[in-house]
Amino acid sequence: IWEESRKQDLGIDLKLFNDALSIVFDLFKERRENILLKREHSMPSFLGYNTSAPYGNIGIIENKGFDGTIEYNKRINKDWVIALRGNVTFNKDKWIQGELPEQKYEWMNQYGRNINGAKGYVAEGLFTQAEIDDMARWESLSAANKAITPKPFASQFGTVKAGDIKYKDLNNDGQIDAYDQTYISRGDVPTTVYGFGFTVGWKDLSVGMMFQGVAGAERVLNGSSINPFNGGGGSGNLYSNIDDRWTEENPDQNAFYPRLSYGSETTSSINNFQKSTWWVRNMNFLRLKTLQISYNLPKPWVNKVHLKNAAVYVMGTNLFTLSRFKLWDPELNTDNGASYPNTTSYSVGINFTF
């Protein structure tokens, strides 16, 4: 069966002030059906698909959003020229029907979530020593007393200590497990992509700048370097923020790292590096993508060498980025920074027209 797509679009296209101002704006909605998905979770094992699950046209996805562009070009007088431009695209996607069947608990369901949504645990902060002591006292009670005494908190992963991450027991069964996972991140594909810039000309000199940005992008940090000492023999790179961690001397509930351990203690901190809201980071950014300064050489100079026009320019690319996330370039497709970074470049040149 072929995949089907039904699209609706409502748009306007305006030109105002003697065509100096141009506005294009579209509202759109798209529904895609019969999407081919691998049925890894919806087919029971007794059907015998042991080596490879079959595919089926079972997916339905809906997209809603808008797209807009605005430009303004104006010659103010014989010396000054200005050009302004901007664009924005917003899209919200969600599963209407996916490959996952109905789950035991509503918070585990795929339906209504965005396509790249990531599942994990809800972190409720770091354990204090008082909480650990309360659990030790509860564990020492007799079975009869345990039955009438509320458990201080749900059993976590492995042996937890002060400074370890505490996860929310969503189904209140006293145990943190797969039934307590929910969708904690929308993924690294942004909901909003935008850009804006300008060019200003004064006589033979012009300056132009172009910014680009995204919003609504998230990542769940994971892997080597994020999880220190997890390489062979306890090795692994560390980021410069390694001092921003919970310690007995600095029991900071808002530290980047929870309690860290090394060697024989490492297995006891398996709790801390589960996928959870503790490691979700906002990847929004605004970048100065290009900056260009150019100068048209005086006509008498150009005519002497039998040229029509000549201009010298200086241009920079990826000059700076504003983002709350500081460990690596938020645009990189990586959960732990293990990717070649974007580079800043500068160029100087001259253009000739014969």
Side-chain angles (χ1 to χ4, degrees):
I1 300 176
W2 289 100
E3 182 178 316
E4 296 180 2
S5 176
R6 293 179 174 85
K7 299 182 180 182
Q8 296 171 284
D9 186 276
L10 175 64
I12 60 172
D13 191 340
L14 295 176
K15 288 186 179 294
L16 304 171
F17 309 116
N18 295 321
D19 293 341
L21 178 64
S22 174
I23 300 174
V24 178
F25 186 80
D26 290 272
L27 289 171
F28 62 83
K29 177 181 179 180
E30 179 186 21
R31 183 182 174 93
R32 296 170 58 193
E33 300 184 358
N34 297 326
I35 298 173
L36 191 65
L37 298 175
K38 194 171 185 178
R39 309 189 69 169
E40 295 180 292
H41 302 93
S42 59
M43 302 290 287
S45 59
F46 61 76
L47 291 181
Y49 295 105
N50 295 325
T51 58
S52 180
Y55 284 82
N57 296 94
I58 56 176
I60 302 175
I61 291 174
E62 186 176 85
N63 288 276
K64 294 180 180 179
F66 61 83
D67 180 83
T69 302
I70 183 169
E71 294 187 12
Y72 181 76
N73 298 280
K74 180 70 173 179
R75 174 170 288 279
I76 300 174
N77 53 43
K78 68 182 184 66
D79 292 330
W80 287 92
V81 177
I82 186 171
L84 306 174
R85 65 195 69 88
N87 63 79
V88 61
T89 300
F90 172 82
N91 180 69
K92 185 175 182 180
D93 59 272
K94 68 177 180 180
W95 286 105
I96 303 300
Q97 179 176 306
E99 191 272 328
L100 288 175
E102 186 76 16
Q103 300 294 291
K104 183 175 182 179
Y105 299 105
E106 186 278 331
W107 59 80
M108 300 173 63
N109 281 330
Q110 183 183 46
Y111 310 134
R113 311 288 183 171
N114 69 291
I115 298 172
N116 290 323
K119 294 178 73 174
Y121 300 98
V122 178
E124 295 190 299
L126 302 178
F127 282 109
T128 64
Q129 188 58 53
E131 289 174 316
I132 299 300
D133 294 341
D134 286 344
M135 181 58 107
R137 284 190 288 270
W138 186 86
E139 292 287 359
S140 66
L141 297 175
S142 65
N145 285 331
K146 283 182 178 179
I148 61 175
T149 304
K151 192 176 182 180
F153 54 84
S155 299
Q156 311 284 308
F157 296 93
T159 303
V160 295
K161 299 181 179 180
D164 287 346
I165 299 174
K166 177 170 59 177
Y167 300 115
K168 187 173 184 179
D169 185 9
L170 294 181
N171 63 350
N172 295 314
D173 67 350
Q175 177 71 40
I176 301 300
D177 53 27
Y179 291 124
D180 298 302
Q181 288 190 1
T182 187
Y183 285 85
I184 60 173
S185 167
R186 62 162 286 101
D188 62 316
V189 177
T191 57
T192 308
V193 179
Y194 63 94
F196 59 90
F198 67 88
T199 300
V200 175
W202 177 71
K203 294 184 177 180
D204 292 319
L205 179 68
S206 69
V207 177
M209 302 178 72
M210 178 58 68
F211 293 84
Q212 75 169 88
V214 304
E218 295 176 329
R219 277 194 177 275
V220 183
L221 307 187
N222 191 31
S224 60
S225 300
I226 295 301
N227 184 348
F229 318 121
N230 74 335
S235 64
N237 293 325
L238 301 175
Y239 285 107
S240 59
N241 69 335
I242 192 63
D243 288 336
D244 186 12
R245 67 184 190 274
W246 184 98
T247 64
E248 293 181 359
E249 297 75 22
N250 179 39
D252 184 3
Q253 284 282 326
N254 297 312
F256 182 88
Y257 286 103
R259 179 185 69 91
L260 298 180
S261 59
Y262 181 76
S264 60
E265 281 286 307
T266 303
T267 55
S268 69
S269 65
I270 184 176
N271 182 82
N272 291 338
F273 295 98
Q274 304 292 323
K275 284 190 175 182
S276 74
T277 54
W278 184 272
W279 300 108
V280 175
R281 292 296 183 273
N282 184 315
M283 291 291 171
N284 300 349
F285 68 86
L286 174 64
R287 189 194 315 278
L288 176 55
K289 190 63 179 179
T290 59
L291 168 63
Q292 180 168 324
I293 303 173
S294 63
Y295 178 71
N296 292 319
L297 298 179
K299 287 289 186 180
W301 298 7
V302 174
N303 293 336
K304 285 181 180 180
V305 292
H306 306 290
L307 294 174
K308 185 177 180 180
N309 291 297
V312 294
Y313 68 88
V314 178
M315 185 171 67
T317 304
N318 296 330
L319 297 184
F320 69 83
T321 302
L322 300 177
S323 176
R324 295 173 61 184
F325 186 77
K326 304 297 184 183
L327 291 184
W328 58 81
D329 190 321
E331 193 175 16
L332 297 183
N333 184 28
T334 175
D335 293 333
N336 63 354
S339 182
Y340 197 82
N342 286 330
T343 59
T344 298
S345 63
Y346 302 91
S347 58
V348 179
I350 184 168
N351 289 327
F352 297 108
T353 301
F354 294 95

